[in-house]
Amino acid sequence: SCKYAHCISLVAKEPAHSAPLKALAALPDGTFFTGSADNILNQWSWNPTSCNLQKQGGSVVNGAVQHVEIAENFIVWSMDANIDQFPGVTVGQVHIMSISDSPKTFQLQLSEQKPYAHPMSVLKFIVRVVDGDLHLITGGVEGVIRVWTLSAATGTVSHLAALEGHIRGVTCMVLQGSILWSGSIDRSICVWDMATMQWVGHITSAAGGHVEEISCMTLVTTPDNGEYVVSGGLDCYVKVWQPNGDLFYESEETGIVTALGTTVDGLDAILLLVGLSDGKIIARSWKCLNDLVVIDQTVINHTGEVWSIKSCSSCVVSTGGGDGKLIVW
């Protein structure tokens, strides 16, 4: 166990949305973007000196926001949108906006006849900038993972590949170098080599995997450059996987695991953060995998599920909950 006491303090909170806050992106400078099923995408600014959390702006969008990420000068969000071709049925759209001096917007779409990234919701995506171009990996509730690029030179969006391995919806993904791990409602983890766009592994309950839907994932990078994938599920288990797919550690939690994240404490030690369906967050030492602090509603004050956990900077974490609150602690 850790010989140092770990104390948690609430520094700011706002009722950010009127529906569960599932989409949360954070920058080290205290800028946040949040989205929800209330069809609103908001921008926030947190001042670490005054601890003030202020809304900087908001936009009404054409559907429930499922996920949001920031990559350099781009903000990307996925949402459930209505389209003219299929009245009353929503599809999974992914929108991109450059936040430079000359803002531009882009949309991922399969074709003019199919103005969407996926025919069903996009619960998670991964975005990164390589040589100025935007590279995206999107996961759809129909079970397909798609790979895209946005050219900085031409502004052209290209659909590069469709990865088919899951038989139910993709709920979470992490990228470990050139290896993609994806979790699904089908209770399995698929592993993909993105250099070849090929499926290279499959982890099910028979190999120590989850026995219920997989809800969330995060990647832990250790000081010696080791990397581990952490998954959480509706079976109330957190599982830690080695790069070769072997199970390294597992723990049964007191509720459904709804969110995972990492941060570092004041001594630069890695903490694994586990969000649960009852509103609790567990801060667990990565070195010994013991619980350091169990953060309940008396501290963080989420009255619903913890849907998102994002590390802002050293010792500062933000969370979004089923109650629609944005909390910084």
Side-chain angles (χ1 to χ4, degrees):
S1 60
C2 184
K3 64 180 179 180
Y4 299 103
H6 285 72
C7 299
I8 303 295
S9 60
L10 175 68
V11 295
K13 68 176 179 178
E14 285 291 334
H17 293 272
S18 60
L21 199 171
K22 294 186 178 182
L24 171 60
L27 291 176
D29 66 359
T31 299
F32 302 95
F33 286 91
T34 62
S36 174
D38 59 7
N39 298 13
I40 295 176
L41 188 66
N42 285 328
Q43 180 179 349
W44 305 83
S45 177
W46 175 64
N47 187 320
T49 302
S50 64
C51 291
N52 286 334
L53 181 61
Q54 294 186 334
K55 183 178 176 181
Q56 298 299 311
S59 300
V60 177
V61 297
N62 183 33
V65 180
Q66 296 289 354
H67 191 57
V68 63
E69 292 285 353
I70 306 169
E72 295 189 7
N73 292 323
F74 296 94
I75 174 173
V76 186
W77 68 96
S78 63
M79 67 182 188
D80 299 342
N82 292 286
I83 59 174
D84 294 338
Q85 292 92 322
F86 298 96
V89 178
T90 60
V91 296
Q93 289 188 344
V94 177
H95 293 263
I96 304 165
M97 183 174 68
S98 65
I99 49 179
S100 58
D101 294 335
S102 302
K104 296 181 180 179
T105 58
F106 308 89
Q107 180 183 328
L108 304 185
Q109 60 181 45
L110 295 173
S111 67
E112 290 186 6
Q113 294 74 32
K114 299 178 179 179
Y116 47 81
H118 292 262
M120 300 183 73
S121 298
V122 178
L123 300 182
K124 286 293 183 293
F125 58 81
I126 295 172
V127 58
R128 53 183 179 155
V129 178
V130 181
D131 296 329
D133 294 338
L134 204 63
H135 293 244
L136 302 102
I137 305 171
T138 59
V141 169
E142 80 283 0
V144 177
I145 296 170
R146 298 187 181 276
V147 185
W148 314 75
T149 60
L150 169 62
S151 170
T154 65
T156 302
V157 174
S158 300
H159 177 233
L160 302 182
L163 310 180
E164 299 186 20
H166 289 294
I167 60 171
R168 295 291 186 274
V170 178
T171 57
C172 48
M173 298 182 292
V174 295
L175 195 59
Q176 183 185 41
S178 64
I179 303 300
L180 175 71
W181 295 59
S182 58
S184 170
I185 296 171
D186 65 15
R187 308 179 182 184
S188 75
I189 294 172
C190 284
V191 184
W192 313 83
D193 184 346
M194 299 308 292
T196 61
M197 304 288 184
Q198 296 296 313
W199 178 92
V200 294
H202 192 215
I203 302 172
T204 66
S205 59
H210 293 274
V211 298
E212 295 291 346
E213 298 176 13
I214 299 170
S215 53
C216 49
M217 283 181 168
T218 194
L219 185 67
V220 176
T221 302
T222 60
D224 60 357
N225 294 321
E227 289 187 321
Y228 298 82
V229 173
V230 186
S231 61
L234 271 62
D235 55 4
C236 304
Y237 269 87
V238 168
K239 294 177 182 282
V240 180
W241 306 94
Q242 299 184 77
N244 64 1
D246 288 346
L247 182 63
F248 175 73
Y249 163 85
E250 66 178 5
S251 65
E252 186 175 9
E253 311 300 336
T254 59
I256 292 172
V257 182
T258 50
L260 290 167
T262 62
T263 189
V264 294
D265 64 13
L267 299 175
D268 290 330
I270 299 171
L271 302 182
L272 175 64
L273 304 175
V274 181
L276 301 178
S277 56
D278 60 5
K280 292 187 180 71
I281 300 171
I282 299 168
R284 185 167 293 156
S285 165
W286 178 256
K287 185 175 182 179
C288 60
L289 291 170
N290 287 336
D291 294 354
L292 299 177
V293 183
V294 177
I295 309 162
D296 61 18
Q297 290 89 339
T298 63
V299 179
I300 297 301
N301 200 29
H302 278 306
T303 55
E305 302 92 339
V306 179
W307 282 119
S308 49
I309 301 174
K310 294 289 184 178
S311 178
C312 312
S313 57
S314 178
C315 302
V316 180
V317 174
S318 58
T319 54
D323 50 15
K325 292 178 182 176
L326 170 62
I327 297 179
V328 183
W329 49 280

mmCIF file of all heavy atoms in Angstrom, residues 224-241:
data_model
loop_
_atom_site.group_PDB
_atom_site.id
_atom_site.type_symbol
_atom_site.label_atom_id
_atom_site.label_comp_id
_atom_site.label_asym_id
_atom_site.label_seq_id
_atom_site.Cartn_x
_atom_site.Cartn_y
_atom_site.Cartn_z
ATOM 1 N N ASP A 224 8.797 3.292 -17.846
ATOM 2 C CA ASP A 224 9.764 2.524 -18.634
ATOM 3 C C ASP A 224 9.247 2.219 -20.041
ATOM 4 O O ASP A 224 9.753 1.326 -20.728
ATOM 5 C CB ASP A 224 10.123 1.213 -17.919
ATOM 6 C CG ASP A 224 8.897 0.321 -17.691
ATOM 7 O OD1 ASP A 224 7.781 0.754 -18.039
ATOM 8 O OD2 ASP A 224 9.076 -0.783 -17.168
ATOM 9 N N ASN A 225 8.213 3.002 -20.459
ATOM 10 C CA ASN A 225 7.611 2.892 -21.798
ATOM 11 C C ASN A 225 6.835 1.596 -22.011
ATOM 12 O O ASN A 225 6.549 1.232 -23.153
ATOM 13 C CB ASN A 225 8.667 3.053 -22.899
ATOM 14 C CG ASN A 225 9.254 4.458 -22.926
ATOM 15 O OD1 ASN A 225 8.533 5.437 -22.741
ATOM 16 N ND2 ASN A 225 10.551 4.554 -23.132
ATOM 17 N N GLY A 226 6.487 0.918 -20.935
ATOM 18 C CA GLY A 226 5.584 -0.206 -21.061
ATOM 19 C C GLY A 226 4.168 0.296 -21.291
ATOM 20 O O GLY A 226 3.800 1.390 -20.846
ATOM 21 N N GLU A 227 3.370 -0.470 -22.012
ATOM 22 C CA GLU A 227 1.992 -0.076 -22.300
ATOM 23 C C GLU A 227 1.041 -1.213 -21.979
ATOM 24 O O GLU A 227 1.303 -2.368 -22.336
ATOM 25 C CB GLU A 227 1.842 0.339 -23.766
ATOM 26 C CG GLU A 227 2.513 1.666 -24.093
ATOM 27 C CD GLU A 227 2.198 2.140 -25.497
ATOM 28 O OE1 GLU A 227 2.150 1.286 -26.403
ATOM 29 O OE2 GLU A 227 2.006 3.347 -25.689
ATOM 30 N N TYR A 228 -0.049 -0.852 -21.315
ATOM 31 C CA TYR A 228 -1.077 -1.809 -20.945
ATOM 32 C C TYR A 228 -2.436 -1.248 -21.349
ATOM 33 O O TYR A 228 -2.686 -0.043 -21.247
ATOM 34 C CB TYR A 228 -1.065 -2.074 -19.441
ATOM 35 C CG TYR A 228 0.213 -2.679 -18.920
ATOM 36 C CD1 TYR A 228 1.319 -1.876 -18.634
ATOM 37 C CD2 TYR A 228 0.326 -4.056 -18.720
ATOM 38 C CE1 TYR A 228 2.512 -2.428 -18.168
ATOM 39 C CE2 TYR A 228 1.505 -4.614 -18.248
ATOM 40 C CZ TYR A 228 2.594 -3.801 -17.981
ATOM 41 O OH TYR A 228 3.764 -4.350 -17.521
ATOM 42 N N VAL A 229 -3.303 -2.124 -21.795
ATOM 43 C CA VAL A 229 -4.675 -1.745 -22.119
ATOM 44 C C VAL A 229 -5.571 -2.157 -20.953
ATOM 45 O O VAL A 229 -5.469 -3.286 -20.449
ATOM 46 C CB VAL A 229 -5.144 -2.421 -23.415
ATOM 47 C CG1 VAL A 229 -6.630 -2.165 -23.656
ATOM 48 C CG2 VAL A 229 -4.320 -1.918 -24.602
ATOM 49 N N VAL A 230 -6.419 -1.245 -20.521
ATOM 50 C CA VAL A 230 -7.352 -1.511 -19.426
ATOM 51 C C VAL A 230 -8.766 -1.462 -19.987
ATOM 52 O O VAL A 230 -9.126 -0.533 -20.714
ATOM 53 C CB VAL A 230 -7.193 -0.480 -18.295
ATOM 54 C CG1 VAL A 230 -8.071 -0.867 -17.105
ATOM 55 C CG2 VAL A 230 -5.743 -0.351 -17.876
ATOM 56 N N SER A 231 -9.566 -2.455 -19.652
ATOM 57 C CA SER A 231 -10.955 -2.504 -20.118
ATOM 58 C C SER A 231 -11.899 -2.639 -18.932
ATOM 59 O O SER A 231 -11.553 -3.208 -17.898
ATOM 60 C CB SER A 231 -11.161 -3.672 -21.090
ATOM 61 O OG SER A 231 -10.880 -4.916 -20.463
ATOM 62 N N GLY A 232 -13.098 -2.098 -19.092
ATOM 63 C CA GLY A 232 -14.140 -2.216 -18.076
ATOM 64 C C GLY A 232 -15.436 -2.650 -18.718
ATOM 65 O O GLY A 232 -15.683 -2.364 -19.896
ATOM 66 N N GLY A 233 -16.286 -3.334 -17.939
ATOM 67 C CA GLY A 233 -17.492 -3.864 -18.539
ATOM 68 C C GLY A 233 -18.706 -3.863 -17.641
ATOM 69 O O GLY A 233 -18.634 -3.526 -16.451
ATOM 70 N N LEU A 234 -19.796 -4.283 -18.236
ATOM 71 C CA LEU A 234 -21.047 -4.394 -17.495
ATOM 72 C C LEU A 234 -21.025 -5.565 -16.527
ATOM 73 O O LEU A 234 -21.944 -5.723 -15.710
ATOM 74 C CB LEU A 234 -22.235 -4.551 -18.461
ATOM 75 C CG LEU A 234 -22.882 -3.253 -18.957
ATOM 76 C CD1 LEU A 234 -21.896 -2.407 -19.745
ATOM 77 C CD2 LEU A 234 -24.116 -3.548 -19.807
ATOM 78 N N ASP A 235 -19.996 -6.398 -16.593
ATOM 79 C CA ASP A 235 -19.839 -7.485 -15.632
ATOM 80 C C ASP A 235 -19.196 -7.027 -14.331
ATOM 81 O O ASP A 235 -18.881 -7.851 -13.466
ATOM 82 C CB ASP A 235 -19.020 -8.625 -16.242
ATOM 83 C CG ASP A 235 -17.659 -8.162 -16.769
ATOM 84 O OD1 ASP A 235 -17.306 -6.977 -16.592
ATOM 85 O OD2 ASP A 235 -16.948 -8.993 -17.376
ATOM 86 N N CYS A 236 -18.978 -5.692 -14.212
ATOM 87 C CA CYS A 236 -18.404 -5.075 -13.005
ATOM 88 C C CYS A 236 -16.922 -5.388 -12.827
ATOM 89 O O CYS A 236 -16.390 -5.256 -11.720
ATOM 90 C CB CYS A 236 -19.173 -5.477 -11.748
ATOM 91 S SG CYS A 236 -20.939 -5.096 -11.809
ATOM 92 N N TYR A 237 -16.243 -5.773 -13.903
ATOM 93 C CA TYR A 237 -14.816 -6.088 -13.824
ATOM 94 C C TYR A 237 -13.978 -5.052 -14.564
ATOM 95 O O TYR A 237 -14.374 -4.529 -15.614
ATOM 96 C CB TYR A 237 -14.532 -7.465 -14.425
ATOM 97 C CG TYR A 237 -14.599 -8.588 -13.417
ATOM 98 C CD1 TYR A 237 -15.815 -9.203 -13.133
ATOM 99 C CD2 TYR A 237 -13.457 -9.012 -12.734
ATOM 100 C CE1 TYR A 237 -15.894 -10.232 -12.200
ATOM 101 C CE2 TYR A 237 -13.527 -10.039 -11.807
ATOM 102 C CZ TYR A 237 -14.735 -10.647 -11.541
ATOM 103 O OH TYR A 237 -14.812 -11.663 -10.610
ATOM 104 N N VAL A 238 -12.810 -4.781 -13.982
ATOM 105 C CA VAL A 238 -11.730 -4.071 -14.656
ATOM 106 C C VAL A 238 -10.652 -5.091 -14.973
ATOM 107 O O VAL A 238 -10.250 -5.869 -14.097
ATOM 108 C CB VAL A 238 -11.153 -2.948 -13.774
ATOM 109 C CG1 VAL A 238 -9.850 -2.407 -14.351
ATOM 110 C CG2 VAL A 238 -12.152 -1.815 -13.622
ATOM 111 N N LYS A 239 -10.197 -5.118 -16.218
ATOM 112 C CA LYS A 239 -9.167 -6.068 -16.628
ATOM 113 C C LYS A 239 -8.018 -5.316 -17.292
ATOM 114 O O LYS A 239 -8.246 -4.396 -18.090
ATOM 115 C CB LYS A 239 -9.749 -7.117 -17.589
ATOM 116 C CG LYS A 239 -10.796 -8.022 -16.918
ATOM 117 C CD LYS A 239 -11.423 -9.008 -17.899
ATOM 118 C CE LYS A 239 -12.487 -9.864 -17.209
ATOM 119 N NZ LYS A 239 -11.901 -10.947 -16.389
ATOM 120 N N VAL A 240 -6.797 -5.725 -16.953
ATOM 121 C CA VAL A 240 -5.591 -5.110 -17.506
ATOM 122 C C VAL A 240 -4.906 -6.133 -18.404
ATOM 123 O O VAL A 240 -4.673 -7.278 -17.992
ATOM 124 C CB VAL A 240 -4.630 -4.648 -16.392
ATOM 125 C CG1 VAL A 240 -3.379 -4.017 -16.996
ATOM 126 C CG2 VAL A 240 -5.329 -3.660 -15.453
ATOM 127 N N TRP A 241 -4.577 -5.707 -19.620
ATOM 128 C CA TRP A 241 -4.034 -6.603 -20.637
ATOM 129 C C TRP A 241 -2.615 -6.207 -21.020
ATOM 130 O O TRP A 241 -2.321 -5.033 -21.200
ATOM 131 C CB TRP A 241 -4.924 -6.568 -21.882
ATOM 132 C CG TRP A 241 -6.353 -6.868 -21.594
ATOM 133 C CD1 TRP A 241 -7.348 -5.967 -21.347
ATOM 134 C CD2 TRP A 241 -6.937 -8.165 -21.468
ATOM 135 N NE1 TRP A 241 -8.525 -6.615 -21.090
ATOM 136 C CE2 TRP A 241 -8.314 -7.972 -21.157
ATOM 137 C CE3 TRP A 241 -6.447 -9.466 -21.600
ATOM 138 C CZ2 TRP A 241 -9.191 -9.032 -20.972
ATOM 139 C CZ3 TRP A 241 -7.331 -10.526 -21.421
ATOM 140 C CH2 TRP A 241 -8.678 -10.303 -21.110
#
